Amino acid sequence: GAVVSQHPSRVICKSGTSVKIECRSLDFQATTMFWYRQFPKQSLMLMATSNEGSKATYEQGVEKDKFLINHASLTLSTLTVTSAHPEDSSFYICSATSGGEETQYFGPGTRLLVL
Amino acid sequence: QKEVEQNSGPLSVPEGAIASLNCTYSDRGSQSFFWYRQYSGKSPELIMSIYSNGDKEDGRFTAQLNKASQYVSLLIRDSQPSDSATYLCAVKDNAGNMLTFGGGTRLMVKP
């Protein structure tokens, strides 16, 4: 099946710093990638949708200047949390689809802790 | 606003029993339906997808879809303790690739 990786799996940073999370599709070309955030005991909340080579589409309430998304190639999307604060601590998960395929394949997630 | 509703549970069943997980959705334009399983601290993994009314079976899992009632369910036969997890229902419309997730149902299978 399709494999999506994320790096790092876990990151701890100081308040005010920026953190970059990578999402890679390993064995397929991901025309569309999605970024989700999940707080404890809650469901996944879509943050943004990115298509290769174009600007990401952000969901309502998600600050595009704080959560920078780059989808520069068909196998890589990055999410940069700028000036992170403790309330940004969460589980960030990416997913990817290929062409007209229906299924989203999820990465293993990145746990961010901002001190 | 598109909504996907699930009972949060926990749903507790004995080992070997059938677990029945339910999901309702608000958008009649929804075309694709997915069940994901999420273990604590892990990301979701796809169990089944279903697109047409009726039943779809895959091993111990059966997905059921009723578009008229806007209802989709997942049955797990011969439940095992390893099935204990949160099950997420996800719905996609025909306008794009975006999934709308339900809040998830926590299933506990007791030995």
Side-chain angles (χ1 to χ4, degrees), chain A residues 32 34 36 38 43-44 46 59 91 93 97 99 101-104 106-109 111, chain B residues 32 34 36 38 41-46 49 51 88 92 97-99 101-104:
Chain A
T32 305
F34 304 86
Y36 295 86
Q38 187 177 35
S43 191
L44 280 73
L46 180 65
E59 294 301 300
F91 191 39
I93 310 171
T97 60
E101 192 168 345
E102 293 282 339
T103 303
Q104 284 189 27
F106 283 85
R111 197 162 298 281
Chain B
S32 308
F34 305 85
Y36 287 86
Q38 186 176 24
K42 303 294 185 182
S43 70
E45 55 179 323
L46 181 68
S49 58
Y51 308 105
L88 301 168
K92 186 166 79 171
N97 287 330
M98 195 180 83
L99 285 177
F101 281 88

